[in-house]
Amino acid sequence: MKKLKVGLVGASGRMGREIAEVINASPACDVFYTLGRDKKVDHKLAEKVDVWIDFSSPEALPEVLKTASRHGTPVVCGTTGFSKKEKSLLEKASKEIPVLWASNMSMGVAVLNEALKVFSSIANFDYQIEEFHHIRKKDKPSGTAITLQENLEKAVSKKCPEPLAIRGGGIFGIHKVHAMSEEEVITFEHSALNRTVFAKGAVRAAEWLAKQKKPGLYQIRDVLFGK
Ligand code: NAD
């Protein structure tokens, strides 16, 4: 079987190392090329990449998208903390190549985002999202909390208070969505038990995205539920 050649951006980071481990254990793909900070792109190698996986920093995005667009290569991006301008770069690139950006690559969070739709039937409740992450996390609130907030506000057709962000210890990621009335409280909760869950999701998304023929902005839910 021909292995999928993965280009990995941020390979020496916490997520990059985890993703490389998942890929190395897979019979379907290989880490073919890595890009890090201050490493100039070798286009002879970049053109052979079948799919990029980027878990680095917002500053890396323009170069990653430029390289991928030049060679017509799909990009799975898990980096968070993007500005509006950087998000628009993702949209622009998706006119030329398949791009899948997800603030959380776990299938559980994809399901949680879908589950929020049921809150449309109790839109009059009060809502609050809470997130907990390890002390070294750079962005606050987490990209996952921002995505959950967007989906929650869509479901209940109203603005909700900003997510509460708590930083401490080594927590991989806990997200809670509270729905509260005078009589009852519902809490949806997702906990990531390790970093591998994001790495496995990213590799699954890359294998799926490499098969998508059309340019477009894909979401992690599309891997589970179809576009
Ligand atoms: P990290 O700081 O451990 O690693 C970042 C890596 O990116 C480092 O190797 C660094 O050298 C590299 N890098 C930074 N700037 C670069 C540039 N301009 N060009 C190339 N490489 C560059 O961070 P981490 O914990 O691995 O997280 C990386 C990103 O992934 C963060 O944005 C984080 O929020 C996000 N993340 C997403 C998910 C998800 O499921 N989507 C899960 C966990 C983390």
Side-chain angles (χ1 to χ4, degrees):
M1 184 175 68
K2 201 172 152 276
K3 285 191 171 189
L4 200 66
K5 295 190 189 76
V6 177
L8 189 54
V9 188
S12 62
R14 284 181 288 266
M15 277 307 301
R17 290 194 305 267
E18 201 73 44
I19 291 167
E21 256 185 52
V22 170
I23 293 176
N24 289 336
S26 156
C29 43
D30 249 340
V31 179
F32 174 75
Y33 183 45
T34 60
L35 267 183
R37 206 191 283 276
D38 303 329
K39 189 171 163 191
K40 238 181 147 284
V41 180
D42 178 339
H43 284 285
K44 282 216 173 91
L45 290 174
E47 73 176 354
K48 294 197 183 115
V49 167
D50 294 317
V51 61
W52 288 98
I53 301 181
D54 172 14
F55 278 69
S56 58
S57 77
E59 297 85 71
L61 188 71
E63 189 68 27
V64 172
L65 294 178
K66 207 167 83 186
T67 304
S69 299
R70 174 166 159 181
H71 301 297
T73 318
V75 177
V76 168
C77 179
T79 305
T80 62
F82 287 140
S83 63
K84 272 202 179 128
K85 195 172 156 212
E86 284 148 354
K87 282 205 176 146
S88 74
L89 287 181
L90 284 169
E91 266 170 44
K92 202 171 141 216
S94 74
K95 307 263 187 282
E96 295 172 23
I97 51 172
V99 175
L100 188 153
W101 176 75
S103 52
N104 193 306
M105 294 284 175
S106 87
M107 299 301 143
V109 164
V111 168
L112 175 57
N113 270 298
E114 286 296 298
L116 295 182
K117 289 177 183 164
V118 298
F119 286 141
S120 64
S121 54
I122 48 167
N124 58 320
F125 277 41
D126 298 321
Y127 289 90
Q128 180 66 58
I129 290 176
E130 242 187 317
E131 59 102 335
F132 302 70
H133 277 92
H134 58 86
I135 198 85
R136 291 166 299 280
K137 184 162 177 65
K138 293 193 181 97
D139 49 325
K140 197 176 174 180
S142 66
T144 307
I146 293 169
T147 305
L148 287 167
Q149 180 90 355
E150 285 166 4
N151 286 316
L152 175 64
E153 290 185 348
K154 224 183 277 171
V156 298
S157 307
K158 66 179 180 189
K159 281 258 156 230
C160 299
E162 285 298 299
L164 301 174
I166 292 144
R167 295 286 171 268
I171 299 172
F172 295 114
I174 300 172
H175 290 86
K176 300 183 186 187
V177 185
H178 306 286
M180 302 161 283
S181 80
E182 294 292 339
E183 289 88 18
E184 54 187 335
V185 173
I186 306 173
T187 299
F188 285 178
E189 178 173 339
H190 176 273
S191 300
L193 303 182
N194 50 41
R195 221 168 248 123
T196 318
V197 67
F198 310 123
K200 283 187 176 167
V203 173
R204 181 171 169 184
E207 289 173 359
W208 180 86
L209 194 69
K211 291 190 203 123
Q212 304 310 306
K213 301 281 174 256
K214 281 196 215 145
L217 195 52
Y218 296 85
Q219 301 175 45
I220 194 73
R221 69 169 304 289
D222 302 332
V223 178
L224 279 178
F225 308 111
K227 176 92 171 144

